[in-house]
Amino acid sequence: MKIGIASVEGIGFAIPVDEVKEVTSLLEENGEVTRPFLGITLQDLLNVASSPVYDQLQLPEEVKGGVIISGVQENSPAAQAGLQELDVITHLDGEPINNMVELRQHLYYAKAAGEEMTIDFYRNGEQQSATVVLE
């Protein structure tokens, strides 16, 4: 999957050669490309800023970016860590996460299956933290 920047809605017309080299190397070594799996579906917080869903989140005023969990797959790393629908992820391993693109970039480029990741999120207006082991 090619991750595009948010301003172009994820549409890419070229793939950077460094990414091609990495994927080619993984295919030659393993016969497949594996990516870390968290087990959630998401929405950008900014996409719901003017909807009734936003009011349900009860976020503090200083929270301007993040991603809303719109679904958690059963028995996934996210489910095992206790993440729930309508949690708002704001940081991964201490790095701010403002949108889905940043979340995917962190997962795909900074993490591997089997590694732990710390997720900071808001639930019902309260900041919380959870550690997941990615699959």
Side-chain angles (χ1 to χ4, degrees), residues 77-78 80-82 93 115-119 121 129-134:
Q80 292 170 8
D93 295 326
E115 289 187 340
E116 285 188 352
M117 181 171 68
T118 302
I119 300 175
F121 62 95
S129 184
T131 301
V132 299
V133 178
L134 299 168

Side-chain angles (χ1 to χ4, degrees), residues 24-121:
T24 303
S25 175
L26 289 170
L27 288 171
E28 288 174 346
E29 291 172 17
N30 307 320
E32 64 182 353
V33 177
T34 57
R35 302 282 191 198
F37 173 69
L38 187 54
I40 56 177
T41 53
L42 304 167
Q43 293 181 16
D44 285 336
L45 181 61
L46 292 177
N47 290 345
V48 297
S50 61
S51 75
V53 172
Y54 189 83
D55 295 333
Q56 290 178 346
L57 303 174
Q58 304 172 15
L59 294 173
E61 285 185 32
E62 66 268 10
V63 177
K64 302 294 183 200
V67 292
I68 303 168
I69 298 177
S70 54
V72 179
Q73 188 173 350
E74 284 186 46
N75 300 318
S76 67
Q80 292 170 8
L83 294 174
Q84 299 175 6
E85 190 173 325
L86 296 181
D87 287 347
V88 179
I89 297 173
T90 57
H91 292 79
L92 297 178
D93 295 326
E95 258 184 55
I97 299 298
N98 293 301
N99 54 51
M100 293 186 302
V101 171
E102 290 178 3
L103 185 138
R104 286 188 181 113
Q105 286 175 332
H106 185 82
L107 268 181
Y108 293 172
Y109 301 125
K111 292 296 180 184
E115 289 187 340
E116 285 188 352
M117 181 171 68
T118 302
I119 300 175
D120 295 326
F121 62 95

